[in-house]
Amino acid sequence: KPNKGNISFLEKVISSKTNTVPTGERNIGLMFQEDVLFPHFNVFKNIAFGLKSKNKEVLVNSFLNKFGLFDKKDSYPSSLSGGEKQRVSLARVLITNPQILLMDEPFSSLDNNLRKEICDYTIETLKKNKMSVIFVTHDVEEALRISDKIIILNKGKILQVGSPKNLYRQPITKYVAQLLGSINQFETISDEKGNLVTPFGEVNCNISSKEANSCKERTHFCVIRPEHIKVSGNGVKAKIVNRYFHGASWAYKVFLRDELPLFNITNCKLEFKKNEEVMIDAECKNILIFQE
């Protein structure tokens, strides 16, 4: 029982100090991080477990066909692959037609290629079934790939809520910016007019505060993502300190000048040698400014 507060679902209190709705009556589905299939049940019985109806065969067989598991109906979990186990787990949840599904890092135990394949299959299936899902993950790429809305939590507090695109492009804190992807950051002090000088041009720091005067002559943190820095014929001179081959593109670590940190550049289609001098540039609109 909770020490304080209530948990409500669809305007009905399901958990409080005085009232608790039994788990089986909440109509909430749950997929765990761990493999929780019953080892002594075959695939058919695992999927049918949550059904109260006696005439289960037709419905279970339809789900076996839908999830490509019909030829595994008599198999036991020990003989299934990781992907097959996840499909059985998903079928077992969806067959009960829950009003909402809670997923606790359900793909973290799978290898990377299988993880993306099963994740995409699962989310596509859930969207077809118009299922509302709360999905817990520490994998930022996974969150950006599958979410309609993301909630960023830190130490129990909500920092920001929004679409993946808005959170990535318009983080309200440096913590959120860094959490959602790689960043380059450097410090600079605004002048009396509230302007900041960056290697790529001058920007006004008033955008980081509702009170314009609070920006003047203060230290600010400028953040720019590696993919927003381009190697071009214009801009500022830089030297390639290191390079990394990513298959379809190159990533570089470059030196500009002593008072600045090394900058990372990604998604570059051009190949350069170590210690080679290049020109780099970035649009000032892509520079994020924070006072923290």
Side-chain angles (χ1 to χ4, degrees):
K1 292 182 179 181
N3 293 325
K4 61 181 179 179
N6 300 328
I7 300 174
S8 297
F9 177 55
L10 297 176
E11 300 181 355
K12 178 183 178 182
V13 176
I14 60 173
S15 182
S16 69
K17 290 182 73 173
T18 57
N19 179 46
T20 300
V21 176
T23 305
E25 298 176 14
R26 296 179 184 181
N27 204 15
I28 298 174
L30 177 62
M31 278 189 71
F32 294 95
Q33 177 179 353
E34 299 84 8
D35 173 17
V36 291
L37 297 178
F38 298 111
H40 57 292
F41 283 176
N42 60 24
V43 168
F44 184 98
K45 289 184 177 180
N46 261 289
I47 294 175
F49 180 80
L51 294 176
K52 297 178 181 179
S53 169
K54 293 183 178 180
N55 300 317
K56 302 177 180 179
E57 189 168 353
V58 173
L59 182 57
V60 174
N61 282 337
S62 70
F63 270 75
L64 286 166
N65 282 317
K66 186 187 298 185
F67 285 83
L69 294 165
F70 194 82
D71 61 338
K72 299 286 185 179
K73 63 185 295 186
D74 297 319
S75 300
Y76 288 84
S78 59
S79 66
L80 301 178
S81 67
E84 289 168 342
K85 289 179 181 179
Q86 287 292 352
R87 279 185 281 156
V88 175
S89 296
L90 182 61
R92 186 173 67 175
V93 169
L94 294 186
I95 202 170
T96 62
N97 195 30
Q99 290 177 293
I100 192 169
L101 176 59
L102 310 180
M103 305 183 80
D104 181 14
E105 300 194 78
F107 312 119
S108 60
S109 61
L110 303 176
D111 66 71
N112 194 48
N113 290 333
L114 182 60
R115 180 174 183 164
K116 288 183 178 179
E117 179 185 337
I118 296 299
C119 179
D120 290 348
Y121 173 84
T122 300
I123 298 304
E124 183 181 342
T125 302
L126 293 171
K127 287 185 175 181
K128 283 181 180 178
N129 285 271
K130 297 182 179 179
M131 179 73 64
S132 296
V133 180
I134 297 177
F135 191 106
V136 178
T137 180
H138 288 85
D139 187 320
V140 172
E141 182 181 339
E142 187 172 66
L144 294 173
R145 275 168 61 88
I146 69 173
S147 303
D148 298 310
K149 182 183 290 185
I150 293 177
I151 300 173
I152 304 284
L153 293 166
N154 185 32
K155 297 180 180 179
K157 294 183 179 180
I158 294 176
L159 298 185
Q160 191 171 353
V161 180
S163 69
K165 180 179 176 181
N166 287 343
L167 261 61
Y168 188 81
R169 293 183 176 179
Q170 299 170 358
I172 62 174
T173 67
K174 191 172 65 170
Y175 174 86
V176 173
Q178 196 162 13
L179 182 70
L180 292 178
S182 299
I183 61 171
N184 297 294
Q185 61 174 315
F186 55 94
E187 297 180 22
T188 185
I189 298 176
S190 62
D191 63 19
E192 292 181 355
K193 296 181 180 179
N195 294 319
L196 299 167
V197 176
T198 79
F200 310 106
E202 191 175 271
V203 294
N204 191 280
C205 67
N206 292 342
I207 62 172
S208 67
S209 174
K210 293 180 181 179
E211 300 177 11
N213 291 333
S214 68
C215 287
K216 295 178 181 179
E217 299 180 340
R218 288 186 58 179
T219 298
H220 287 67
F221 295 91
C222 294
V223 167
I224 186 164
R225 297 198 183 278
E227 67 268 24
H228 288 150
I229 302 177
K230 307 296 181 185
V231 179
S232 64
N234 303 314
V236 294
K237 187 181 294 185
K239 184 172 75 172
I240 305 291
V241 174
N242 219 329
R243 63 181 197 159
Y244 312 93
F245 183 55
H246 288 179
S249 64
W250 286 86
Y252 298 100
K253 192 178 290 290
V254 301
F255 170 82
L256 273 71
R257 52 181 185 264
D258 288 334
E259 65 268 24
L260 290 172
L262 297 177
F263 280 70
N264 291 301
I265 303 174
T266 57
N267 296 337
C268 183
K269 301 297 182 182
L270 303 173
E271 180 180 357
F272 299 99
K273 296 178 181 178
K274 191 174 179 179
N275 296 322
E276 185 174 348
E277 290 192 346
V278 296
M279 301 293 286
I280 64 172
D281 199 9
E283 294 185 42
C284 288
K285 68 178 183 180
N286 290 323
I287 298 176
L288 304 171
I289 302 170
F290 305 101
Q291 287 186 348
E292 59 194 79

